[in-house]
Amino acid sequence: METYDISLEGMLFSFLLLLIPLVISYYLGLKLTSSTLESAVRMVLQLVFVGIFLTFVFDLNNAFINITWVFVMVIVASHTVLKNAELKTRNLLPVLVLFMALTNYSMLLYFNRFILDLNNLIDARYFIPIAGMVLGNSLKANVIGMENFCNEIQRNENRYLFRLSMGAEKTEALVPYLRKSMRVALKPTIANMATIGIVFLPGMMTGQILAGASPIVAIEYQIAIMLAIYVTTMVNVFLGVLVLIHRGFDDYGMFKKELLRNP
Amino acid sequence: MGILDIRNLSVSYDGKTILSDFDLSVSKGEKILIKGRSGIGKSTLFRIIMGFSVHNSGEISLDGIPVDSEHIWDIRRRVAYVSQDTDIAEGKVSDLLDEVFSFKANKDNPAIEDLESIMDELSLSSGLLNKQYMKLSGGEKQRIALVLALISGKDIFLLDEVTAELDADLKHKVVEMFFDNSQWTVLSISHDREWEDKALKVIDFSEEANNGNIRH
């Protein structure tokens, strides 16, 4: 089986679809016209760039380049998480990058070694797309986790102060907030896992089937990647909140509001 | 030197001066009532002693230990602070108690054995432990917070309007409980007459304001 290439005409037809959201936005006064266009343009530029870049990276298949590229992905992901969680990057970014790099590299090596049983653990064809799947899918949960933690500690500050006045250490007083943030952040991933295949056909599986793989192989990959995503998401959310617990409070144990973009 | 010493304390927020060169010395066992109209900075004083708010200048020490970032964690283990905000927990009352007594600082606290008798004294039935904290009445929440302070084994109390939502009988009982123990040092912010009737020392923040120690 071979995948049909999409012709230029076909690509134009796909852009034609954009008219629908633009018309709806115009008539309902959603004011989404410029952001829709901007996002679409960004998507095209980024994907064209990545397409060229990945062709080059796959041809070279150099371990150093592959590892470096994944590191760049980790930096961008960490930055996106902080930005979307309305946090300033200055104090938090380096340590978040370090943690996320650690979990993601470990997961990738484990995946390639024990699940796929590859000879070359850093083979670009596996290393980079799987890194993208794992990182991309854990990103949203990380935003929810860190944002929820910051919101709760401010909204329910009194409960935290109460625990401190009852003699709790900072970490003891913050455990309930950690639990809550992790539960909220992981819920969508858990719901995803439970409905996969019925409610939606995941992108990876669809891609493999379109590329000519048998549905059975596609399913094997999908199960393995879902589990990898869930584990990485949980560890990433945990580490993200841990970064906040360690960096987000002053010597008195008070939350540093100056870390927020809009204090 | 008293058990609590405050010297030249000045506090301002958003350009508004709340306290200016405020002095206070409290001896062990003393019971002090702090009163004055709301918004004048009474609660802020407690928050500063607990390290929850910062002050601009001045010194505070508790039993000779300065209130600073290095010692604040020890001070929090010595002082029982009951805030007027009773939104302190979700879940069952018993879970709240279990959590508080799971903290390292409270694990070997023998005072927990008094739980039942203190709850009884404050007219709280043991059935309350299985109820959701959020569903309790304001007065019940206030009494649960008080119970936790009373069994904490601490001997310095900062009480912020802890009797406001209680009926006259209970107000009286709570005041008696604190006054009966001569070892306990109590600072109570309250508008209730029951405290004023008993307290030997009353600090009126409104008067202090007139004397220029508190600005508003």
Side-chain angles (χ1 to χ4, degrees):
Chain A
M1 260 200 287
E2 205 183 302
T3 317
Y4 285 105
D5 196 357
I6 300 181
S7 64
L8 190 64
E9 197 187 352
M11 288 308 292
L12 285 174
F13 271 110
S14 75
F15 278 106
L16 199 63
L17 286 173
L18 261 185
L19 278 177
I20 297 170
L22 290 178
V23 167
I24 292 175
S25 168
Y26 177 78
Y27 276 104
L28 293 180
L30 300 179
K31 292 188 176 142
L32 288 176
T33 314
S34 60
S35 56
T36 303
L37 288 172
E38 194 192 311
S39 294
V41 169
R42 268 191 70 163
M43 171 188 75
V44 171
L45 291 177
Q46 277 163 209
L47 288 180
V48 166
F49 167 75
V50 167
I52 295 167
F53 181 76
L54 285 184
T55 313
F56 170 72
V57 169
F58 283 15
D59 284 347
L60 277 179
N61 203 6
N62 172 297
F64 177 74
I65 293 179
N66 297 348
I67 291 172
T68 311
W69 178 240
V70 169
F71 193 65
V72 171
M73 289 163 73
V74 168
I75 295 175
V76 174
S78 308
H79 188 268
T80 311
V81 166
L82 292 175
K83 209 179 135 198
N84 282 284
E86 306 282 335
L87 287 159
K88 287 184 189 159
T89 50
R90 208 161 50 103
N91 290 315
L92 303 173
L93 187 64
V95 60
L96 190 65
V97 166
L98 188 78
F99 278 158
M100 280 181 87
L102 208 70
T103 40
N104 288 288
Y105 283 135
S106 312
M107 180 49 82
L108 284 170
L109 293 177
Y110 182 92
F111 198 91
N112 291 354
R113 170 68 189 85
F114 297 108
I115 298 174
L116 298 183
D117 198 13
L118 297 180
N119 287 325
N120 175 12
L121 297 185
I122 309 168
D123 189 342
R125 233 184 94 206
Y126 296 92
F127 199 70
I128 293 171
I130 290 170
M133 291 285 295
V134 170
L135 262 177
N137 280 284
S138 65
L139 199 132
K140 205 188 288 174
N142 234 331
V143 172
I144 298 174
M146 293 181 87
E147 192 174 34
N148 181 274
F149 182 84
C150 295
N151 286 345
E152 286 289 319
I153 200 77
Q154 291 182 91
R155 194 183 315 143
N156 293 318
E157 190 193 32
N158 196 55
R159 294 182 189 172
Y160 172 62
L161 299 186
F162 163 76
R163 290 183 174 90
L164 291 185
S165 18
M166 290 316 298
E169 289 173 2
K170 186 181 81 179
T171 35
E172 287 176 322
L174 289 174
V175 164
Y177 294 89
L178 169 74
R179 278 197 199 117
K180 195 166 192 180
S181 307
M182 287 192 65
R183 291 179 67 90
V184 172
L186 289 169
K187 259 188 187 164
T189 316
I190 294 175
N192 248 352
M193 209 154 42
T195 53
I196 204 158
I198 300 172
V199 180
F200 76 103
L201 276 183
M204 187 193 200
M205 208 170 122
T206 316
Q208 280 185 311
I209 293 171
L210 286 176
S214 84
I216 297 298
V217 172
I219 282 165
E220 285 168 1
Y221 268 84
Q222 193 57 50
I223 291 171
I225 200 80
M226 255 340 260
L227 295 173
I229 286 170
Y230 184 58
V231 173
T232 318
T233 304
M234 180 177 261
V235 178
N236 277 347
V237 173
F238 174 63
L239 293 176
V241 176
L242 217 57
V243 168
L244 283 175
I245 289 177
H246 283 279
R247 292 283 172 105
F249 294 82
D250 64 18
D251 292 342
Y252 286 85
M254 295 297 106
F255 181 67
K256 290 184 192 163
K257 292 197 173 71
E258 64 266 27
L259 288 178
L260 302 171
R261 275 171 195 264
N262 306 304
Chain B
M1 198 167 60
I3 197 143
L4 173 68
D5 276 298
I6 300 176
R7 298 259 168 275
N8 302 323
L9 183 72
S10 294
V11 187
S12 58
Y13 281 112
D14 302 327
K16 187 181 149 195
T17 305
I18 295 168
L19 292 167
S20 149
D21 289 334
F22 179 77
D23 290 321
L24 178 67
S25 184
V26 183
S27 312
K28 188 171 170 60
E30 228 179 333
K31 321 283 186 241
I32 294 176
L33 170 69
I34 299 174
K35 61 177 202 174
R37 58 183 169 72
S38 55
I40 202 164
K42 306 186 296 292
S43 300
T44 306
L45 178 67
F46 283 3
R47 288 178 59 96
I48 289 171
I49 297 171
M50 293 304 286
F52 299 152
S53 293
V54 289
H55 54 281
N56 304 77
S57 61
E59 282 162 26
I60 309 173
S61 64
L62 203 115
D63 219 2
I65 307 167
V67 174
D68 56 25
S69 60
E70 194 187 329
H71 300 97
I72 196 66
W73 302 91
D74 292 328
I75 284 167
R76 285 176 190 152
R77 277 179 213 116
R78 285 218 50 195
V79 181
Y81 165 58
V82 185
S83 148
Q84 59 182 328
D85 187 344
T86 51
D87 177 17
I88 52 173
E90 311 179 280
K92 284 201 289 189
V93 176
S94 57
D95 293 341
L96 170 67
L97 294 173
D98 288 344
E99 194 198 339
V100 168
F101 283 92
S102 73
F103 300 153
K104 268 181 230 147
N106 302 334
K107 265 194 179 140
D108 304 318
N109 183 359
I112 192 167
E113 288 161 18
D114 302 335
L115 176 67
E116 233 169 284
S117 65
I118 290 180
M119 281 186 65
D120 200 42
E121 236 176 300
L122 292 177
S123 309
L124 294 168
S125 70
S126 57
L128 207 79
L129 294 174
N130 287 319
K131 286 194 180 164
Q132 293 289 318
Y133 178 83
M134 292 301 273
K135 290 194 174 152
L136 301 184
S137 72
E140 284 171 331
K141 285 181 187 166
Q142 209 156 44
R143 277 176 284 161
I144 292 290
L146 269 172
V147 166
L148 279 166
L150 286 163
I151 59 171
S152 65
K154 297 170 179 175
D155 58 1
I156 302 168
F157 295 87
L158 303 179
L159 311 174
D160 195 349
E161 295 287 4
V162 292
T163 47
E165 292 190 51
L166 305 184
D167 63 39
D169 263 3
L170 276 167
K171 278 188 212 281
H172 190 71
K173 212 180 242 176
V174 168
V175 174
E176 289 291 332
M177 281 172 97
F178 283 103
F179 275 83
D180 280 353
N181 193 322
S182 62
Q183 296 299 306
W184 286 354
T185 309
V186 182
L187 275 79
S188 173
I189 295 173
S190 180
H191 291 95
D192 289 331
R193 189 173 40 81
E194 286 77 0
W195 290 96
E196 197 156 6
D197 290 346
K198 298 269 296 187
L200 294 175
K201 191 166 171 182
V202 179
I203 300 173
D204 190 334
F205 264 44
S206 306
E207 275 175 30
E208 296 273 334
N210 294 335
N211 297 336
N213 293 333
I214 302 166
R215 306 244 171 81
H216 49 96

